[in-house]
């Protein structure tokens, strides 16, 4: 299933949706910010806003329940509200989304929540390539029915300031990101890349084989047969949809699996090489260094040292 494969990729690239700020305001308002995160989330809980950012043609209108993902933008501006007088400058408090949301009136206020997407370097390369400069997810679309409910639950948790809210917000932030991506792939024409490939019905049987048995030496004709296509048609469609040939995709999938195994386990390099279909430890190490930029052992030591430094162990 597509969802299973998407979940597997989420786990591999350690993707997390995290809330980072929010505000409730009535009357004309404007909010400007420098964007430091590669992937920034903006969600309009209620009210309306016009989003502007560098590198886009013009303002994007955000309706109630809409979410935008900014991809590698350096600044953003949001404007909203009605009434006379100059707009009020709003500066959302970073890393505490409840500060300016508590006490919000959904009947009169504009409520905006901001967040970021955290993921490891492999995930950053995958997701940034799969999304446009601004991915606009419309809550009004039939495919976004769960998104509206998820956003409402997140708002009420942030506004309620209840015991355990920090933990709950982390979970809702994760679910919100998943619902955003689910809705987006149904609403938009995705650029070539892994996200588009995972949602392509005709390629699904071949992708399932590669994901289920990554260590098998798959031949192009076997994958084409699984997709009920000729070898040439399959290769052309795969390159168009995924942005790379099938066997290149397979190798990149193996490298993602290798990075997870090296981060999370104590598997021997030789055993890992065999499990992933490489003829020798040397061949695997060469392929890993070409894809990741360092040897498997060096990668393992580095990421584990970083994890120890973060956890203080």
């Amino acid at each position: 299933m597509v969802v299973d494969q998407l979940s597997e990729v989420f786990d591999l690239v350690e993707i997390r949706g995290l809330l980072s700020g929010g505000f409730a305001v009535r009357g004309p308002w404007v909010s400007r910010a420098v964007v430091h995160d590669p992937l920034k989330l903006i969600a309009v809980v209620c009210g309306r806003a016009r989003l502007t950012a560098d590198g886009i043609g013009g303002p994007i209108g955000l309706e109630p329940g809409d979410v935008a993902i900014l991809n590698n933008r350096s600044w953003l501006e949001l404007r909203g509200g009605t009434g006379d007088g100059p707009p009020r400058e709003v500066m959302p408090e970073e890393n505490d989304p409840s500060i300016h949301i508590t006490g919000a009136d959904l009947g009169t206020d504009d409520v905006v929540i901001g967040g970021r997407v955290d993921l490891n370097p492999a995930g950053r390369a995958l997701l940034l390539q799969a999304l446009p400069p601004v991915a606009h997810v419309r809550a009004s679309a039939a495919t976004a029915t769960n998104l509206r409910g998820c956003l409402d639950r997140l708002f009420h948790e942030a506004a309620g300031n209840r015991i355990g809210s920090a933990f709950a917000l982390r979970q809702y932030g994760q679910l919100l990101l998943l619902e955003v991506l689910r809705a987006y792939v149904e609403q938009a024409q995705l650029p070539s890349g892994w996200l588009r490939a995972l949602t392509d019905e005709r390629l699904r049987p071949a992708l399932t084989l590669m994901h289920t048995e990554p260590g098998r030496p798959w031949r192009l004709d076997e994958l084409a047969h699984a997709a009920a296509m000729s070898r040439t048609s399959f290769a052309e469609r795969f390159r168009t949809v995924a942005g790379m040939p099938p066997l290149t995709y397979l190798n990149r999938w193996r490298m993602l699996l290798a990075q997870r195994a090296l981060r999370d386990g104590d598997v021997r390099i030789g055993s890992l090489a065999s499990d992933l279909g490489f003829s020798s430890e040397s061949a695997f190490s060469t392929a890993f260094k070409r894809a990741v930029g360092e040897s498997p052992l060096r990668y393992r030591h580095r990421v584990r040292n970083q994890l120890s430094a973060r956890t203080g162990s």
Side-chain angles (χ1 to χ4, degrees), residues 94-307:
E94 286 294 316
N95 301 317
D96 191 350
S98 66
I99 285 185
H100 295 301
I101 293 177
T102 302
D105 185 338
L106 295 182
T108 58
D109 295 345
D110 290 342
V111 179
V112 178
I113 291 176
R116 69 178 188 273
V117 181
D118 277 0
L119 62 175
N120 63 28
R124 189 173 296 117
L126 286 173
L127 197 54
L128 267 65
Q129 180 259 347
L131 295 173
V134 177
H136 180 196
V137 180
R138 294 174 173 82
S140 59
T143 55
T145 52
N146 292 331
L147 176 59
R148 177 75 254 188
C150 185
L151 187 56
D152 286 342
R153 289 191 296 272
L154 187 149
F155 163 76
H156 288 297
E157 191 64 51
N161 198 26
R162 301 161 58 198
I163 185 171
S165 62
F167 176 81
L169 287 173
R170 287 195 296 271
Q171 309 312 310
Y172 283 135
Q174 190 78 337
L175 290 173
L176 175 65
L177 175 61
L178 176 59
E179 291 298 342
V180 167
L181 291 177
R182 279 174 170 170
Y184 181 71
V185 298
E186 296 291 339
Q187 294 180 22
Q189 176 61 47
L190 296 172
S192 299
W194 69 274
L195 193 57
R196 182 176 169 188
L198 292 179
T199 61
D200 189 275
E201 293 290 338
R202 296 194 66 189
L203 295 182
R204 185 188 301 187
L207 287 167
T208 298
L209 292 180
M210 289 189 278
H211 281 239
T212 304
E213 298 184 73
R216 183 169 166 175
W218 292 106
R219 300 193 312 271
L220 190 59
D221 58 338
E222 293 177 302
L223 298 173
H225 178 74
M229 300 170 67
S230 71
R231 193 174 185 273
T232 300
S233 296
F234 173 74
E236 290 177 351
R237 182 175 183 86
F238 201 102
R239 184 186 288 273
T240 298
V241 171
M244 66 191 79
L247 299 185
T248 300
Y249 178 95
L250 175 61
N251 185 65
R252 293 191 180 182
W253 178 242
R254 289 169 171 171
M255 293 300 103
L256 285 174
L257 294 172
Q259 289 174 71
R260 179 175 64 179
L262 292 168
R263 287 195 311 267
D264 301 340
D266 295 314
V267 62
R268 292 174 51 250
I269 303 300
S271 296
L272 182 58
S274 178
D275 290 344
L276 294 177
F278 289 88
S279 59
S280 66
E281 181 176 332
S282 174
F284 167 69
S285 296
T286 298
F288 188 92
K289 187 171 184 178
R290 184 184 304 117
V292 181
E294 56 189 336
S295 71
L297 282 177
R298 187 176 182 85
Y299 174 84
R300 169 180 274 166
H301 292 321
R302 179 177 59 79
V303 296
R304 291 193 175 183
N305 286 339
Q306 289 175 344
L307 178 60

